[in-house]
Amino acid sequence: MIAMKVEIENAAIELDPAQSLRLKGAAGVRIVCRSGTVWVTQEGVLRDDFLSPGKALTLRSRGVTLVQGMGRALISIEARPPMGAATATLSALPVAG
């Protein structure tokens, strides 16, 4: 598994198949799907979200949030003004085959 830890800023991220973005302490961060479809699951939130192109979601969880492309996807992250130490980890999961 390859992982990269970054501080959240306004950014565009391309997610390859089987690649996920792990966000921690990101309440208030807005995820916008630019292309493809993404699955978003937030710690402590009972419902998962699926975003299609043009759809956006403002995160509510201060815990861990996972964002994964359903195939190749492009997202943008719009960070709230700095209020804490939100971090993101981008990782590629092993592909079975």
Side-chain angles (χ1 to χ4, degrees):
M1 178 169 78
I2 300 170
M4 174 177 61
K5 193 169 189 176
V6 295
E7 288 200 25
I8 295 175
E9 295 179 13
N10 295 338
I13 298 173
E14 187 172 350
L15 296 171
D16 290 327
Q19 191 174 40
S20 64
L21 178 67
R22 181 181 185 270
L23 302 162
K24 186 171 182 182
V29 167
R30 187 169 186 244
I31 307 274
V32 181
C33 180
R34 300 295 179 193
S35 67
T37 301
V38 293
W39 166 61
V40 182
T41 185
Q42 302 178 68
E43 182 179 347
V45 176
L46 297 178
R47 180 189 88 202
D48 288 353
D49 293 282
F50 290 87
L51 304 179
S52 56
K55 301 295 182 185
L57 175 69
T58 300
L59 302 179
R60 298 186 342 215
S61 177
R62 295 193 184 280
V64 174
T65 296
L66 295 176
V67 181
Q68 184 168 350
M70 307 302 289
R72 188 174 301 270
L74 177 65
I75 62 169
S76 60
I77 296 177
E78 300 170 359
R80 67 195 187 292
M83 297 180 81
T87 59
T89 304
L90 184 62
S91 58
L93 303 174
V95 177

